[in-house]
């Protein structure tokens, strides 16, 4: 099977025996849970769009491993054009879901593990590259969704993995067996874990020789014994479980999800190990994964931004302010910021280069500049959307009051904007802006923009490393005609 349909994907997740907890309860059926279901719908969209002729060029490609048609989310990028198409695909998905569609973390992990394992094997004669190609072929053949698991809980940020008071605060190998390893620890903030078939674990920071047991990369099915997912709480999440909830949810159909994922002595067979103790390669893996993931945000957040800009423009239409010059200017500013993010995503892709393993990597400096802008611009876009929406965005009565005959007339009469638009439609657009700015989608649009793929300082460190100030000094000296002593 090369491509799964959305329905087949849904059924495949339904068959997994996932160990999930949320809001103090064990969730035996995540697929139909009202809080989790929108997040599954977002991933499902990556399958649905791949079935449509209109999106075939963006959503699918040919595997370099098997020659078969595959979903682009399982692709090893074969050119700069592939990298550009990745960003365009992500913008499309952002536009269609207005949420985090979760499947890109795995794609970014594939590309970084592929090129890194190639280089580790060259030095150490290990089998990691072969192992990884076998795993990815299985992923491509079955069109699987894979959680990219990098971030450890990290405990005291001032201490290295092996110096932590609790040695499990970074995921580590606790036992080596003839047929595999036992790992213990956790990965925090795991996007889409409960909607994934497999989890691909990577180290979270560069490591020293004393951190040997922490320098580990591997994959296992998400329902492997010993894995527990504890779903993160999102602002306004229980609105989704209110009876007949619709308007108040803002985005009823789509959402994102994160989880704290515990690995309590999980067995990993030898053929699924992609790094085990080669500490000097942990940093390379982190840097490459982060680079790809920083590129990703130049697509997905831009697509969500498109929806937010559209919502703000509608809010202005609905309250009669659309013709005001400052409103027009604010929409221009939002567009300018959003397209600047897209320009960064496209630029770091177009300037991509081939790795030693053969797949394509983004321009790291430009990818880090892209993500640094992502840590700022969505906040400004949200600020402008809130300005245009007006205070009613946060003081709006609930749809229960709208549906209650005792209050409906008042809500209809006093919360209308222009006479030609229903109060209900005005409420719908205000709730969507609330959802993206402060509600469940703000997890993906705001705070993930800040911390996802690394907090702002992580990009500044990379920009400092890649910025090549000495070369720029030389340029200045040449122009100023300074002769070196
Ligand atoms: C919505 C969302 C989705 C995510 N999805 C995923 C995912 O799917 N997979 C995944 O692996 N990760 C994921 N992440 C995790 C993301 O990569 C981390 O949030 C990010 O790396 C920052 O780590 P932290 O959250 O632990 O922040 P912290 O480490 O607690 O950072 C907080 C602050 O402390 C500073 N700081 C931390 N350590 C140091 C230090 N040693 N020296 C100086 N300053 C320091 C940081 O710069 C920052 O300002 C996600 C995060 C979010 C918010």
């Amino acid at each position: 099977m090369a491509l799964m349909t959305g329905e087949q994907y849904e059924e495949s997740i339904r068959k997994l025996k996932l160990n999930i907890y949320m809001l103090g309860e064990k969730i035996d059926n995540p697929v139909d849970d009202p809080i989790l279901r929108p997040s599954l719908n977002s991933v499902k969209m990556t399958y649905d769009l791949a079935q449509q002729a209109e999106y075939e060029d963006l959503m699918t490609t040919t595997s370099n491993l098997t020659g078969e048609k595959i979903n682009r989310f399982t692709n090893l990028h074969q050119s700069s054009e592939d990298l550009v198409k990745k960003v365009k695909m992500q913008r499309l998905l952002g536009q269609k879901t207005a949420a985090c569609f979760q499947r890109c973390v795995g794609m970014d992990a594939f590309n970084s593990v592929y090129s890194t394992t190639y280089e580790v094997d060259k030095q150490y004669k290990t089998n990691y590259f072969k192992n990884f190609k076998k795993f990815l072929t299985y992923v491509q053949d079955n069109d699987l969704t894979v959680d990219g698991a990098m971030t450890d809980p990290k405990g005291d940020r001032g201490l290295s993995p092996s110096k932590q008071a609790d040695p499990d605060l970074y995921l580590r190998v606790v036992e080596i067996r003839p047929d595999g390893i036992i790992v213990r620890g956790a990965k925090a903030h795991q996007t889409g874990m409960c909607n994934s078939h497999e989890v691909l674990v990577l180290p979270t920071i560069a490591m020293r020789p004393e951190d040997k047991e922490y320098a580990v990369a591997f994959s296992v099915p998400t329902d492997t014994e010993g894995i527990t997912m504890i779903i993160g709480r999102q602002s306004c999440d229980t609105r989704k479980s209110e009876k007949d909830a619709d308007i108040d949810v803002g985005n009823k159909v789509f959402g994102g999800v994160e989880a704290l994922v515990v690995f309590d002595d999980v067995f990993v067979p030898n053929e699924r190990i992609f790094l085990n103790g080669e500490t000097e390669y942990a940093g390379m893996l982190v840097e490459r994964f982060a680079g790809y993931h920083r590129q990703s945000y130049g697509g997905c957040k831009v697509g969500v931004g498109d929806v937010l800009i559209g919502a703000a423009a509608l809010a202005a239409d609905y309250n009669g302010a659309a013709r005001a010059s400052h409103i027009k200017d604010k929409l221009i500013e939002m567009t300018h910021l959003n397209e600047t993010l897209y320009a960064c995503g496209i630029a770091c892709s177009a300037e991509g280069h081939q790795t030693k393993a053969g797949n394509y990597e983004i321009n790291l400096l430009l990818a880090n500049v892209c993500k640094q802008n992502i840590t700022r611009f969505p906040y400004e876009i949200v600020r402008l959307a809130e300005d245009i929406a007006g205070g009613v965005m946060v003081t709006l009565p609930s749809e229960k009051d709208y549906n209650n005959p005792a209050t409906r007339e008042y809500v209809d009469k006093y919360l209308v904007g222009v006479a030609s638009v229903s109060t209900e439609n005005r409420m719908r657009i205000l709730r969507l802006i609330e959802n993206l700015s402060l509600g469940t989608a703000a997890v993906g649009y705001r705070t993930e923009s800040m911390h996802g793929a690394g907090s702002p300082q992580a990009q500044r460190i990379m920009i400092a490393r890649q910025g090549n100030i000495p070369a720029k000094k030389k340029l200045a000296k040449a122009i100023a005609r300074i002769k070196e002593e």
Side-chain angles (χ1 to χ4, degrees), residues 105 148-151 154 157 188-191 258 443 447-448 451-455 457:
V105 204
M150 171 165 278
T151 313
K154 296 183 290 189
R157 271 64 173 162
H189 324 284
Q190 290 311 297
T191 294
E258 287 78 27
V443 173
T447 315
E448 192 187 345
H451 290 292
S455 309
Q457 186 58 17

Side-chain angles (χ1 to χ4, degrees), residues 146-192:
V146 178
D147 173 276
M150 171 165 278
T151 313
D152 291 272
K154 296 183 290 189
D156 183 336
R157 271 64 173 162
L159 299 174
S160 64
S162 53
K163 298 285 182 304
Q164 297 285 329
D166 180 339
D168 299 337
L169 286 170
Y170 284 76
L171 189 141
R172 65 191 177 121
V173 178
V174 289
E175 193 185 330
I176 297 179
R177 295 183 183 174
D179 54 346
I181 53 175
I182 305 287
V183 297
R184 187 186 304 155
K187 290 289 177 179
H189 324 284
Q190 290 311 297
T191 294

Side-chain angles (χ1 to χ4, degrees), residues 46 49-50 55-60 70-73 89 93:
T46 70
L49 293 182
Y55 301 118
E56 189 182 5
D57 183 50
L58 273 194
M59 295 299 307
T60 66
I70 51 166
N71 191 300
R72 191 175 291 282
F73 277 98
M89 169 180 76
L93 260 307

Side-chain angles (χ1 to χ4, degrees), residues 412-481:
D412 244 343
K413 179 179 167 68
Y414 291 111
L415 291 182
V416 76
V418 295
S420 57
V421 174
S422 67
T423 298
E424 178 183 322
N425 282 351
R426 187 164 182 241
M427 287 172 74
R428 285 187 181 279
I429 217 65
L430 291 166
R431 286 291 181 216
L432 175 58
I433 296 174
E434 182 202 28
N435 176 255
L436 286 161
S437 315
L438 308 165
T440 52
V443 173
Y445 191 60
R446 287 175 53 132
T447 315
E448 192 187 345
S449 290
M450 180 66 74
H451 290 292
S455 309
Q457 186 58 17
Q459 290 107 60
R460 297 187 83 77
I461 291 168
M462 284 301 292
I463 291 169
R465 265 194 227 152
Q466 305 271 328
N468 203 351
I469 298 292
K472 293 180 170 74
K473 282 187 189 169
K474 268 194 191 160
L475 295 174
K477 279 183 181 169
I479 297 292
R481 288 164 288 114

